[in-house]
Amino acid sequence: MSASRVSQILFSRVSHAIRKPQHLITPVKYYSSQVNNYECIKTEIVGEKKNVGLITLNRPKALNALCEQLINDISHAVDHFNKDKSIGAIVITGSEKAFAAGADIKEMENKTYVSNLKHDFIGEWDKIGKSKKPLIAAVNGYALGGGNELAMLCDIIYAGDKARFSQPEIALGTIPGAGGTQRLTRVIGKSKAMEMVLSGNMITAEEAEKTGLVSKVFPSDKVIEEAVKLGEKIASHSQVVVLLAKQAVNSAYETTLQQGLQFENRLFHSTFSLTDRKEGMTAFLEKRPPKFTNE
């Protein structure tokens, strides 16, 4: 069976894809505590210093198909972690079988153009992508269609070695609608993006790393642990400066070189008004770890 056909089956018949509940991924070995109860996700505070928010998609029988409730839950959890001053980074993950095997087709089947306009269908996705704190996707298994788009909403993608990525909407008579044609093209280039979008074919984690879609590939049982480690590293820095750095990189992604350079220069100058910039440089000269206060 072709890769395109496999993608189509997984994407369009996700509710019948598995016959029994799948085990969730191995828990993070660091300290964790549940912080909220949601219908379609699990949230925890993880890391040795409890400074990383972990969001786990939790619709195992549907391979984490992205229904509206699931997206709303993610958006709410991201907003919650953004407001928590103790959290410096957020990790989003799924199950070992699937990060998210596309949108919930049953939910989408009877929608119309007018209903999409009236209810701002997929508008909640933008709120996730606008997170002020860094988002790290820890992808295992299938990241198809909306699953790939959700991963691309994140600032960094770590993948398990068995992860698979695709945009198979073409096989369902539609196109990607949450950034699949736009973010993917900017990340991996026109030719490869065209190949994925027009064929619906899946690519492996290794291919995704080569094209720049993912940052690093790890054994599947290590990807969440590594994503949390990265989150802890990011969280050890000044949250204010991390936000400025994130904005600067996004400017390079979204604007011309000259516009980006000007924006970067202004942000760089602005750091000299921060207590954390003074502390960071003083600590370096005094050969000691900095004590950032996020000011």
Side-chain angles (χ1 to χ4, degrees), residues 68 111-124:
E68 288 189 51
K111 289 185 180 296
T112 66
Y113 176 67
V114 173
S115 70
N116 288 342
L117 288 178
K118 286 183 176 180
H119 301 290
D120 192 22
F121 181 46
I122 69 174
E124 201 70 22

Side-chain angles (χ1 to χ4, degrees), residues 137-163:
V139 178
N140 267 316
Y142 297 110
L144 312 183
N148 190 42
E149 290 171 314
L150 176 59
M152 289 191 294
L153 278 178
C154 297
D155 301 296
I156 301 165
I157 304 175
Y158 275 6
D161 53 7
K162 296 179 181 178

